[in-house]
Amino acid sequence: MGKIILSYMAALGILLILSVEVGFMRLVWAEYSPEDAPEAFFSDVFTNTLALQEPLQYTQVPRGDDQARMPADLQVLLEERMADYAIYYLRPDLEQEPFVQSSRQQQPASMIKLFVMAKAMEDVKAGRMSLEEPVTLQKEDVVGGAGKLTIYNLGTPITVRELITLMIQASDNTATNALITKLGMGEINAYLEREGYHDTKINHKMMLQKVETMEKKGKRLQKVVTKLPDNLSSVQDVGTLFTRLYKHECVGPQEDEIMIDILKGQEDTACFNAALPDWQIAHKTGEISGLFHDGGIFYGSEGNFVLVIFCEKYAGRQIAIEDIQEMAWYFAARLSDLKNK
Protein backbone atom coordinates (compact mmCIF):
# COMPACT_ATOMS: atom_id res chain seq x y z
CA MET A 1 0.00 0.00 0.00
CA GLY A 2 2.88 2.37 0.82
CA LYS A 3 4.38 1.86 -2.65
CA ILE A 4 1.02 2.64 -4.30
CA ILE A 5 0.68 5.88 -2.34
CA LEU A 6 4.25 6.89 -3.20
CA SER A 7 3.64 6.16 -6.92
CA TYR A 8 0.44 8.22 -6.84
CA MET A 9 2.22 11.13 -5.19
CA ALA A 10 5.02 10.95 -7.75
CA ALA A 11 2.50 11.08 -10.62
CA LEU A 12 0.86 14.14 -9.07
CA GLY A 13 4.26 15.76 -8.77
CA ILE A 14 4.98 15.22 -12.47
CA LEU A 15 1.63 16.75 -13.43
CA LEU A 16 2.34 19.76 -11.21
CA ILE A 17 5.76 20.26 -12.80
CA LEU A 18 4.26 20.09 -16.29
CA SER A 19 1.58 22.62 -15.37
CA VAL A 20 4.19 25.01 -13.97
CA GLU A 21 6.39 24.58 -17.05
CA VAL A 22 3.47 25.49 -19.32
CA GLY A 23 2.80 28.47 -17.10
CA PHE A 24 6.37 29.69 -17.40
CA MET A 25 6.24 29.32 -21.20
CA ARG A 26 3.26 31.65 -21.17
CA LEU A 27 5.07 34.08 -18.86
CA VAL A 28 7.86 34.54 -21.39
CA TRP A 29 5.45 36.17 -23.82
CA ALA A 30 3.43 37.90 -21.14
CA GLU A 31 6.62 39.52 -19.75
CA TYR A 32 5.54 38.80 -16.18
CA SER A 33 7.82 37.74 -13.37
CA PRO A 34 6.71 34.57 -11.56
CA GLU A 35 5.89 36.65 -8.48
CA ASP A 36 3.29 38.90 -10.13
CA ALA A 37 1.91 36.45 -12.70
CA PRO A 38 -1.86 36.02 -12.91
CA GLU A 39 -2.99 32.70 -11.44
CA ALA A 40 -4.84 31.93 -14.69
CA PHE A 41 -1.49 31.40 -16.45
CA PHE A 42 -0.95 28.26 -14.34
CA SER A 43 -4.56 27.08 -14.10
CA ASP A 44 -6.57 24.74 -16.29
CA VAL A 45 -9.78 25.10 -14.25
CA PHE A 46 -12.69 26.69 -16.11
CA THR A 47 -14.99 28.98 -14.16
CA ASN A 48 -18.00 30.90 -15.34
CA THR A 49 -17.27 33.60 -12.77
CA LEU A 50 -14.65 34.97 -15.15
CA ALA A 51 -17.27 35.80 -17.77
CA LEU A 52 -18.16 39.48 -17.62
CA GLN A 53 -21.38 40.50 -19.32
CA GLU A 54 -20.89 44.26 -19.00
CA PRO A 55 -17.84 46.26 -20.14
CA LEU A 56 -15.43 47.16 -17.36
CA GLN A 57 -14.94 50.84 -16.64
CA TYR A 58 -11.43 52.10 -17.31
CA THR A 59 -9.89 55.27 -18.70
CA GLN A 60 -9.75 54.89 -22.48
CA VAL A 61 -6.83 55.97 -24.64
CA PRO A 62 -6.87 56.42 -28.43
CA ARG A 63 -4.38 53.60 -28.94
CA GLY A 64 -2.28 51.55 -26.54
CA ASP A 65 1.41 52.53 -26.53
CA ASP A 66 2.35 48.86 -26.55
CA GLN A 67 0.85 48.41 -30.02
CA ALA A 68 4.06 49.87 -31.50
CA ARG A 69 6.13 46.89 -30.36
CA MET A 70 3.56 44.19 -31.15
CA PRO A 71 4.84 43.51 -34.72
CA ALA A 72 8.37 42.90 -33.39
CA ASP A 73 7.06 40.64 -30.62
CA LEU A 74 4.99 38.65 -33.12
CA GLN A 75 7.96 38.36 -35.49
CA VAL A 76 9.96 36.72 -32.71
CA LEU A 77 7.05 34.43 -31.89
CA LEU A 78 6.14 33.39 -35.44
CA GLU A 79 9.50 33.75 -37.22
CA GLU A 80 9.19 33.01 -40.94
CA ARG A 81 5.48 32.18 -40.54
CA MET A 82 4.61 35.82 -39.77
CA ALA A 83 3.43 36.41 -43.35
CA ASP A 84 0.84 33.63 -42.99
CA TYR A 85 -1.21 35.55 -40.41
CA ALA A 86 -3.57 38.52 -40.35
CA ILE A 87 -4.54 39.86 -36.91
CA TYR A 88 -7.09 42.20 -35.32
CA TYR A 89 -6.77 42.94 -31.58
CA LEU A 90 -8.66 45.47 -29.47
CA ARG A 91 -9.11 46.09 -25.75
CA PRO A 92 -12.46 47.87 -26.19
CA ASP A 93 -12.70 49.16 -22.62
CA LEU A 94 -9.17 50.55 -22.71
CA GLU A 95 -8.45 51.83 -26.23
CA GLN A 96 -10.33 53.17 -29.22
CA GLU A 97 -8.21 51.95 -32.13
CA PRO A 98 -7.32 48.29 -32.74
CA PHE A 99 -3.98 46.75 -33.51
CA VAL A 100 -4.30 45.42 -37.08
CA GLN A 101 -1.63 43.36 -38.79
CA SER A 102 -1.76 42.49 -42.51
CA SER A 103 -5.53 42.83 -42.93
CA ARG A 104 -6.54 42.09 -46.52
CA GLN A 105 -9.30 40.35 -48.42
CA GLN A 106 -9.05 36.61 -47.84
CA GLN A 107 -11.19 33.52 -48.03
CA PRO A 108 -13.08 33.58 -44.73
CA ALA A 109 -14.30 29.97 -44.89
CA SER A 110 -17.04 29.61 -42.25
CA MET A 111 -16.30 33.01 -40.72
CA ILE A 112 -18.60 34.38 -43.45
CA LYS A 113 -21.47 32.91 -41.43
CA LEU A 114 -21.06 35.69 -38.86
CA PHE A 115 -22.34 38.20 -41.39
CA VAL A 116 -25.28 35.99 -42.37
CA MET A 117 -26.23 35.88 -38.68
CA ALA A 118 -25.97 39.67 -38.36
CA LYS A 119 -28.20 40.24 -41.40
CA ALA A 120 -30.73 37.72 -40.10
CA MET A 121 -30.88 39.52 -36.76
CA GLU A 122 -31.32 42.86 -38.53
CA ASP A 123 -34.35 41.41 -40.31
CA VAL A 124 -35.67 40.14 -36.97
CA LYS A 125 -35.27 43.57 -35.40
CA ALA A 126 -37.00 45.22 -38.37
CA GLY A 127 -39.91 42.78 -38.11
CA ARG A 128 -39.28 41.23 -41.51
CA MET A 129 -39.10 37.81 -39.89
CA SER A 130 -39.24 36.15 -36.48
CA LEU A 131 -36.72 33.93 -34.71
CA GLU A 132 -39.50 31.41 -34.23
CA GLU A 133 -40.58 31.49 -37.88
CA PRO A 134 -40.38 28.01 -39.43
CA VAL A 135 -38.29 27.40 -42.53
CA THR A 136 -38.59 24.33 -44.73
CA LEU A 137 -35.32 23.10 -46.20
CA GLN A 138 -35.04 23.07 -49.96
CA LYS A 139 -33.22 20.23 -51.65
CA GLU A 140 -30.77 22.53 -53.45
CA ASP A 141 -29.56 23.94 -50.10
CA VAL A 142 -28.62 20.56 -48.63
CA VAL A 143 -24.86 20.01 -48.83
CA GLY A 144 -22.15 18.07 -47.09
CA GLY A 145 -19.22 19.28 -45.06
CA ALA A 146 -19.70 20.61 -41.54
CA GLY A 147 -23.06 20.43 -39.85
CA LYS A 148 -25.89 18.25 -38.60
CA LEU A 149 -28.69 18.84 -41.11
CA THR A 150 -28.98 16.30 -43.92
CA ILE A 151 -31.28 15.28 -46.74
CA TYR A 152 -33.40 13.51 -44.09
CA ASN A 153 -34.42 16.92 -42.71
CA LEU A 154 -36.22 17.87 -45.93
CA GLY A 155 -39.85 18.73 -45.20
CA THR A 156 -39.21 19.26 -41.48
CA PRO A 157 -39.85 22.83 -40.31
CA ILE A 158 -36.81 24.39 -38.62
CA THR A 159 -37.05 27.77 -36.92
CA VAL A 160 -34.83 30.71 -37.86
CA ARG A 161 -33.37 30.60 -34.34
CA GLU A 162 -32.43 26.94 -34.79
CA LEU A 163 -30.86 27.63 -38.19
CA ILE A 164 -28.74 30.48 -36.80
CA THR A 165 -27.65 28.37 -33.83
CA LEU A 166 -26.69 25.42 -36.03
CA MET A 167 -24.90 27.71 -38.48
CA ILE A 168 -22.72 29.24 -35.74
CA GLN A 169 -22.24 26.54 -33.13
CA ALA A 170 -21.99 23.50 -35.43
CA SER A 171 -20.91 25.52 -38.50
CA ASP A 172 -23.76 23.83 -40.36
CA ASN A 173 -23.45 24.48 -44.10
CA THR A 174 -27.01 23.44 -44.92
CA ALA A 175 -28.42 25.77 -42.24
CA THR A 176 -26.31 28.57 -43.71
CA ASN A 177 -27.61 27.93 -47.22
CA ALA A 178 -31.19 27.89 -45.98
CA LEU A 179 -30.69 31.29 -44.35
CA ILE A 180 -29.01 32.71 -47.47
CA THR A 181 -32.01 31.53 -49.52
CA LYS A 182 -34.43 33.15 -47.08
CA LEU A 183 -32.53 36.43 -46.72
CA GLY A 184 -31.38 36.72 -50.34
CA MET A 185 -27.71 36.86 -51.31
CA GLY A 186 -28.15 40.29 -52.91
CA GLU A 187 -29.80 41.64 -49.77
CA ILE A 188 -26.99 40.27 -47.59
CA ASN A 189 -24.35 41.92 -49.76
CA ALA A 190 -26.28 45.20 -49.71
CA TYR A 191 -26.32 44.99 -45.90
CA LEU A 192 -22.55 44.41 -45.84
CA GLU A 193 -21.91 47.48 -47.99
CA ARG A 194 -24.34 49.60 -46.02
CA GLU A 195 -22.75 48.66 -42.69
CA GLY A 196 -19.21 49.36 -43.89
CA TYR A 197 -17.92 45.79 -44.21
CA HIS A 198 -16.24 46.71 -47.47
CA ASP A 199 -13.88 43.70 -47.61
CA THR A 200 -16.71 41.21 -47.24
CA LYS A 201 -18.84 39.70 -49.98
CA ILE A 202 -20.80 36.48 -50.40
CA ASN A 203 -20.35 35.13 -53.90
CA HIS A 204 -21.64 31.60 -53.40
CA LYS A 205 -23.45 29.40 -50.92
CA MET A 206 -21.52 26.94 -48.79
CA MET A 207 -20.10 23.99 -50.74
CA LEU A 208 -21.76 25.30 -53.92
CA GLN A 209 -18.96 27.26 -55.57
CA LYS A 210 -19.19 25.22 -58.77
CA VAL A 211 -22.31 25.68 -60.88
CA GLU A 212 -23.29 23.20 -63.57
CA THR A 213 -25.27 24.35 -66.60
CA MET A 214 -26.19 22.77 -69.93
CA GLU A 215 -25.11 24.68 -73.02
CA LYS A 216 -25.72 23.87 -76.65
CA LYS A 217 -22.59 23.01 -78.62
CA GLY A 218 -23.60 22.50 -82.24
CA LYS A 219 -26.40 19.95 -82.17
CA ARG A 220 -25.56 18.61 -78.72
CA LEU A 221 -26.04 19.79 -75.17
CA GLN A 222 -22.91 19.75 -73.04
CA LYS A 223 -22.49 20.19 -69.31
CA VAL A 224 -20.47 23.29 -68.43
CA VAL A 225 -19.00 23.75 -64.95
CA THR A 226 -18.43 27.33 -63.83
CA LYS A 227 -16.50 28.17 -60.67
CA LEU A 228 -17.93 31.17 -58.86
CA PRO A 229 -15.59 33.70 -57.20
CA ASP A 230 -14.49 33.05 -53.63
CA ASN A 231 -16.38 34.45 -50.68
CA LEU A 232 -14.30 37.25 -49.19
CA SER A 233 -13.70 39.00 -45.89
CA SER A 234 -10.87 40.31 -43.69
CA VAL A 235 -9.78 40.41 -40.06
CA GLN A 236 -10.67 44.12 -40.12
CA ASP A 237 -14.30 43.39 -41.03
CA VAL A 238 -14.66 40.40 -38.70
CA GLY A 239 -12.97 42.31 -35.88
CA THR A 240 -15.27 45.28 -36.47
CA LEU A 241 -18.32 43.02 -36.25
CA PHE A 242 -17.13 41.48 -32.96
CA THR A 243 -16.29 44.93 -31.56
CA ARG A 244 -19.77 46.19 -32.45
CA LEU A 245 -21.28 43.12 -30.82
CA TYR A 246 -19.29 43.73 -27.65
CA LYS A 247 -20.47 47.33 -27.50
CA HIS A 248 -24.04 46.32 -28.45
CA GLU A 249 -23.76 48.48 -31.57
CA CYS A 250 -24.08 45.80 -34.25
CA VAL A 251 -27.85 45.40 -34.65
CA GLY A 252 -29.36 46.35 -31.29
CA PRO A 253 -28.74 45.57 -27.60
CA GLN A 254 -31.23 42.70 -27.45
CA GLU A 255 -30.25 41.21 -30.82
CA ASP A 256 -26.54 41.56 -30.09
CA GLU A 257 -26.89 39.77 -26.76
CA ILE A 258 -28.68 36.89 -28.50
CA MET A 259 -25.81 36.62 -30.98
CA ILE A 260 -23.19 36.71 -28.22
CA ASP A 261 -25.00 33.94 -26.33
CA ILE A 262 -25.08 31.79 -29.47
CA LEU A 263 -21.37 32.42 -30.08
CA LYS A 264 -20.54 31.37 -26.51
CA GLY A 265 -21.96 27.94 -27.37
CA GLN A 266 -19.39 27.34 -30.12
CA GLU A 267 -18.71 23.59 -30.39
CA ASP A 268 -15.25 23.93 -31.97
CA THR A 269 -13.09 24.53 -28.89
CA ALA A 270 -9.78 23.09 -30.11
CA CYS A 271 -7.97 26.40 -30.46
CA PHE A 272 -8.81 29.48 -28.38
CA ASN A 273 -10.69 27.62 -25.65
CA ALA A 274 -7.90 25.09 -25.18
CA ALA A 275 -5.35 27.91 -24.92
CA LEU A 276 -7.31 30.02 -22.41
CA PRO A 277 -9.61 27.66 -20.49
CA ASP A 278 -10.30 30.22 -17.77
CA TRP A 279 -11.84 32.67 -20.24
CA GLN A 280 -15.36 32.63 -21.64
CA ILE A 281 -15.11 33.13 -25.38
CA ALA A 282 -17.86 34.08 -27.82
CA HIS A 283 -16.28 33.07 -31.10
CA LYS A 284 -16.45 31.46 -34.54
CA THR A 285 -13.91 29.36 -36.40
CA GLY A 286 -13.34 28.84 -40.11
CA GLU A 287 -11.38 26.10 -41.80
CA ILE A 288 -10.74 24.71 -45.24
CA SER A 289 -7.69 22.99 -46.66
CA GLY A 290 -4.61 25.11 -45.96
CA LEU A 291 -6.53 27.71 -43.99
CA PHE A 292 -7.48 28.09 -40.31
CA HIS A 293 -9.22 31.08 -38.69
CA ASP A 294 -10.53 31.83 -35.22
CA GLY A 295 -11.96 35.04 -33.82
CA GLY A 296 -14.18 36.32 -31.06
CA ILE A 297 -14.74 38.19 -27.81
CA PHE A 298 -12.77 37.10 -24.72
CA TYR A 299 -14.32 37.70 -21.28
CA GLY A 300 -11.91 37.33 -18.35
CA SER A 301 -11.30 38.36 -14.76
CA GLU A 302 -8.57 40.83 -15.81
CA GLY A 303 -10.61 42.42 -18.58
CA ASN A 304 -12.04 41.72 -22.00
CA PHE A 305 -10.66 41.86 -25.53
CA VAL A 306 -11.49 41.12 -29.16
CA LEU A 307 -9.08 38.95 -31.14
CA VAL A 308 -9.39 37.71 -34.73
CA ILE A 309 -6.65 35.71 -36.44
CA PHE A 310 -6.68 34.47 -40.03
CA CYS A 311 -4.07 31.95 -41.12
CA GLU A 312 -3.68 31.42 -44.85
CA LYS A 313 -1.49 28.78 -46.52
CA TYR A 314 -0.33 27.35 -43.22
CA ALA A 315 2.73 25.15 -42.79
CA GLY A 316 0.52 22.57 -41.10
CA ARG A 317 -2.84 22.55 -39.31
CA GLN A 318 -1.40 21.77 -35.88
CA ILE A 319 1.35 24.35 -36.34
CA ALA A 320 -1.30 26.97 -37.15
CA ILE A 321 -3.37 26.05 -34.08
CA GLU A 322 -0.31 26.23 -31.81
CA ASP A 323 0.73 29.58 -33.30
CA ILE A 324 -2.76 31.00 -32.76
CA GLN A 325 -2.81 29.69 -29.20
CA GLU A 326 0.55 31.33 -28.48
CA MET A 327 -0.81 34.60 -29.84
CA ALA A 328 -3.93 34.26 -27.67
CA TRP A 329 -1.69 33.95 -24.57
CA TYR A 330 0.36 36.93 -25.70
CA PHE A 331 -2.61 39.20 -26.35
CA ALA A 332 -4.39 38.15 -23.13
CA ALA A 333 -1.32 39.31 -21.23
CA ARG A 334 -1.34 42.67 -22.97
CA LEU A 335 -4.40 43.76 -20.99
CA SER A 336 -2.14 44.64 -18.07
CA ASP A 337 -0.05 47.03 -20.23
CA LEU A 338 -2.88 49.57 -20.25
CA LYS A 339 -4.57 48.75 -16.94
CA ASN A 340 -1.38 49.32 -14.95
CA LYS A 341 -0.58 52.73 -16.45
Side-chain angles (χ1 to χ4, degrees), residues 215-222:
E215 294 185 7
K216 191 172 183 180
K217 300 290 185 180
K219 295 182 178 181
R220 296 184 178 182
L221 288 176
Q222 290 186 346

Side-chain angles (χ1 to χ4, degrees), residues 255-326:
E255 292 78 18
D256 291 357
E257 196 58 40
I258 290 171
M259 289 189 276
I260 289 171
D261 285 342
I262 290 173
L263 286 159
K264 285 178 180 177
Q266 173 60 239
E267 295 177 10
D268 186 350
T269 59
C271 189
F272 280 160
N273 305 78
L276 296 172
D278 290 338
W279 295 68
Q280 189 168 46
I281 310 171
H283 71 121
K284 181 74 186 79
T285 60
E287 181 178 7
I288 56 177
S289 179
L291 176 157
F292 191 95
H293 305 329
D294 207 345
I297 306 167
F298 292 67
Y299 298 91
S301 62
E302 295 183 18
N304 310 323
F305 64 93
V306 173
L307 178 62
V308 179
I309 302 176
F310 279 16
C311 178
E312 191 175 55
K313 299 178 182 178
Y314 55 54
R317 183 179 186 274
Q318 190 57 37
I319 293 173
I321 289 175
E322 290 174 2
D323 281 348
I324 293 172
Q325 289 177 332
E326 290 276 4

Side-chain angles (χ1 to χ4, degrees), residues 117-324:
M117 174 175 68
K119 175 62 169 83
M121 294 307 298
E122 185 192 62
D123 280 13
V124 169
K125 182 183 180 183
R128 289 188 287 269
M129 69 180 185
S130 162
L131 284 173
E132 309 313 321
E133 182 177 331
V135 176
T136 301
L137 287 184
Q138 300 180 24
K139 187 176 181 179
E140 57 267 27
D141 287 335
V142 179
V143 294
K148 301 178 179 180
L149 296 179
T150 69
I151 197 74
Y152 297 106
N153 297 106
L154 287 177
T156 303
I158 304 170
T159 66
V160 169
R161 185 191 300 273
E162 290 170 330
L163 288 174
I164 294 173
T165 302
L166 285 167
M167 174 177 68
I168 297 299
Q169 295 183 355
S171 206
D172 196 296
N173 290 325
T174 296
T176 307
N177 290 348
L179 285 168
I180 292 174
T181 294
K182 181 167 183 59
L183 298 169
M185 191 177 298
E187 285 73 13
I188 297 173
N189 285 325
Y191 163 81
L192 296 173
E193 188 64 29
R194 185 171 65 250
E195 294 299 315
Y197 301 117
H198 299 305
D199 290 336
T200 305
K201 187 173 183 181
I202 300 181
N203 290 308
H204 62 84
K205 291 182 178 180
M206 310 308 294
M207 306 291 290
L208 292 174
Q209 191 170 6
K210 294 181 179 179
V211 178
E212 295 182 357
T213 57
M214 300 300 295
E215 294 185 7
K216 191 172 183 180
K217 300 290 185 180
K219 295 182 178 181
R220 296 184 178 182
L221 288 176
Q222 290 186 346
K223 182 170 69 174
V224 177
V225 179
T226 303
K227 183 180 179 182
L228 299 174
D230 294 334
N231 290 332
L232 296 169
S233 192
S234 66
V235 293
Q236 179 73 61
D237 279 4
V238 175
T240 297
L241 184 146
F242 276 121
T243 298
R244 290 175 178 176
L245 278 177
Y246 179 78
K247 295 179 178 181
H248 290 164
E249 297 173 353
C250 185
V251 175
Q254 181 178 352
E255 292 78 18
D256 291 357
E257 196 58 40
I258 290 171
M259 289 189 276
I260 289 171
D261 285 342
I262 290 173
L263 286 159
K264 285 178 180 177
Q266 173 60 239
E267 295 177 10
D268 186 350
T269 59
C271 189
F272 280 160
N273 305 78
L276 296 172
D278 290 338
W279 295 68
Q280 189 168 46
I281 310 171
H283 71 121
K284 181 74 186 79
T285 60
E287 181 178 7
I288 56 177
S289 179
L291 176 157
F292 191 95
H293 305 329
D294 207 345
I297 306 167
F298 292 67
Y299 298 91
S301 62
E302 295 183 18
N304 310 323
F305 64 93
V306 173
L307 178 62
V308 179
I309 302 176
F310 279 16
C311 178
E312 191 175 55
K313 299 178 182 178
Y314 55 54
R317 183 179 186 274
Q318 190 57 37
I319 293 173
I321 289 175
E322 290 174 2
D323 281 348
I324 293 172

